[in-house]
Each structure stands twice: as C-alpha cells, then as structure tokens.
Amino acid sequence: MKACISVPATIANLGSGFDTFGIAVDLRNDVEIESADYFSVVEEGIQITGKDLVLKAFIDTLKSYGIKEKFRIKKRTRIPSSKGLGSSAAAIVSGVALGMRVSGRSSMDELFQISSQMEGHPDNVAPAVFGGFTVSAKLSNGYVCQVMDPLCEEITVIIPPFSTSTEMARKILPSEIPLNDAVFNIQRAALLVATFKNGKKIDKELFNDRLHQNMRLSLHEELKDFFDTLSETSDLPLFVCGSGTAIGIIGHQKVDVKNGW
C-alpha cells in the first residue's frame, strides 16, 4: 500500500489571539508511506534514526485502530523547527492522517480531534487540517474550530538564525495576569475577527498583545530590538509567529535584516 500527504506550515496566536487564532501559510511538508517489513523513516534518501514525530503519530494512530502492518515513511521537510511555524503540528497531522488513510477513515473532524489531543492544543492543528484563518478552543465536548477565508493574500515571514523551544516559551509565561491585560487582548481579538468578517480593513493595533509576546521576545535581546524597531516603523500588522522566533507581517514588506536571517 502507498499513500501520501502534504501539510502546510501554520502560524498561531497572531498577537492578540493567544492560543486561539491560527493561519495556514504556503510552505509544506510532504510525507509518503509504503508497505515494508519494518518501520523506518527516510528523508532525502537518508534513513533517520532516533525520535521522529511523524513516525510516532503514525504508529500511535495505527495502534489505536488495531492495525499491525509496517511501513516505510519517506518525507520532505520544508517547515523549519522551533521557529513558530507549526512544525510539530504538521508532523502530527501528517502521521495521524496517514494512519487514518491506512484504516480507511477520512473524517476531517476526527483528524482534527486526534491531532489536537496529541499536540495538546488546537491553534496550529486547526489551520494545518482545514487551512485558512481559524479560531479554535477546547470545550467540554472536545476541540472545536471555526474556519474562515484566508486572513490575507500575502504574509512576510522573517526567520532569525536562533530558535526557541515551545517548552521554554511556555515556561516563561506567568500563571496569572492582570485583569487589564486580559481585557486588552480580548477586545483586540474580538474586534479583529469582527472586522475581518465584515470585510473591513484590519487596524494593526488589533494584533497587539500583552499576554505573551514581550516575554518571549525577551529570550533574545536582538530579536526584541528588531521587533520593537519594526513595530515603530511599519504601517503593517506584525506579530511573533507562535512561540517564536519568526516574525510575521500581514502583507508584503521589504525588511533590512542581518546576514543569516
């Protein structure tokens, strides 16, 4: 048996929509499976040893459906890891989707539920599965998602040469926040969705945040200085991509960056 899938990179949060907003971007990982005598992972003709998230998600999904068949995984990875572009969500969605394909299942909601459970949150998984601009959450009856048209036709992503692990980016966030900061984000996130749904121009201030970005930017002083300068000089909305370190700009903008960025 053979099957293949292509899963997009995604950007979560978009500033004010912490752990809620997500968008898919046109950068993809391709994964193919074929029946084999044992499980293995090959990338660019080289066999991968050690842990692999696509393989883990794939095997876990097969086991959940009682499938014992073995496969070789061939993948082409274009989404950089630890940059805030949804590399882990793309890997999980790839593995789960291919496991479902082997079992004969094709429910997009089932794919969304299983992948979100594995990832632990749905903000990157939702656009990886459904595309477009998504608003997602975990409710008492499971993970839910509303899918809208793409937020923009073009997005500029600036990728610095250093990385931040999701674990570290979450560890530095406070367990409690001031009420005024919570209200600040709620107002802007709600207005962003309403403005977009009404077809109006979205003000760059609606992407502003008080819950996570400054703390995550502080992990890299050079990145924080770059973001602050760009925020002052650009007329376009900008934000930290996911937990960082990439910076996203809604629209096309030429930016002077250092070598290696």
Side-chain angles (χ1 to χ4, degrees):
M1 176 183 178
K2 286 187 176 183
C4 60
I5 190 170
S6 180
V7 179
T10 55
I11 299 173
N13 302 330
L14 309 182
S16 59
F18 179 53
D19 274 6
T20 305
F21 292 165
I23 57 173
V25 296
D26 193 17
L27 178 67
R28 291 178 169 272
N29 286 353
D30 299 322
V31 183
E32 177 184 338
I33 58 168
E34 59 184 13
S35 297
D37 295 329
Y38 56 90
F39 285 109
S40 63
V41 180
V42 175
E43 183 159 16
E44 304 295 337
I46 300 173
Q47 184 159 323
I48 305 299
T49 58
K51 295 180 179 180
D52 183 87
L53 193 52
V54 175
L55 177 62
K56 182 181 186 307
F58 181 54
I59 291 176
D60 287 350
T61 304
L62 292 179
K63 286 182 177 179
S64 71
Y65 296 132
I67 298 171
K68 298 181 179 180
E69 188 177 354
K70 306 293 193 301
F71 291 87
R72 178 184 297 107
I73 294 176
K74 298 179 181 179
K75 63 180 188 176
R76 183 176 182 184
T77 302
R78 301 181 184 88
I79 304 170
S81 62
S82 301
K83 302 294 186 182
L85 297 176
S87 60
S88 63
I92 289 171
V93 170
S94 296
V96 174
L98 289 169
M100 290 178 60
R101 174 69 179 83
V102 173
S103 72
R105 290 168 168 81
S106 59
S107 167
M108 296 294 281
D109 184 65
E110 186 175 359
L111 173 59
F112 172 58
Q113 296 295 330
I114 296 172
S115 299
S116 295
Q117 183 65 38
M118 287 188 183
E119 175 80 329
H121 47 90
D123 48 352
N124 285 102
V125 170
V129 172
F130 300 110
F133 171 35
T134 60
V135 180
S136 58
K138 183 178 182 181
L139 302 184
S140 58
N141 61 340
Y143 295 95
V144 296
C145 171
Q146 291 295 317
V147 185
M148 294 170 278
D149 292 335
L151 187 63
C152 57
E153 293 184 358
E154 190 169 6
I155 182 170
T156 302
V157 177
I158 302 157
I159 303 176
F162 35 84
S163 303
T164 298
S165 70
T166 301
E167 180 182 4
M168 175 60 70
R170 285 195 173 274
K171 186 179 293 185
I172 64 169
L173 299 181
S175 58
E176 296 181 355
I177 57 172
L179 176 61
N180 287 343
D181 289 348
V183 172
F184 180 95
N185 271 58
I186 291 170
Q187 289 174 334
R188 281 150 185 77
L191 273 170
L192 194 158
V193 173
T195 303
F196 176 68
K197 291 289 286 183
N198 288 331
K200 305 295 185 180
K201 182 180 178 180
I202 301 176
D203 192 298
K204 66 175 290 186
E205 287 191 30
L206 299 186
F207 292 83
N208 289 353
D209 160 80
R210 289 184 181 175
L211 302 184
H212 63 104
Q213 290 194 150
N214 281 337
M215 284 165 279
R216 288 169 167 176
L217 288 168
S218 68
L219 291 171
H220 303 280
E221 184 177 352
E222 183 180 357
L223 183 64
K224 188 177 189 311
D225 290 343
F226 175 82
F227 184 88
D228 290 344
T229 300
L230 189 59
S231 182
E232 293 173 0
T233 58
S234 176
D235 294 328
L236 299 176
L238 73 154
F239 44 82
V240 176
C241 296
S243 58
T245 53
I247 303 298
I249 304 173
I250 297 295
H252 175 76
Q253 179 168 339
K254 291 184 178 180
V255 180
D256 292 328
V257 295
K258 298 180 179 180
N259 290 334
W261 287 50

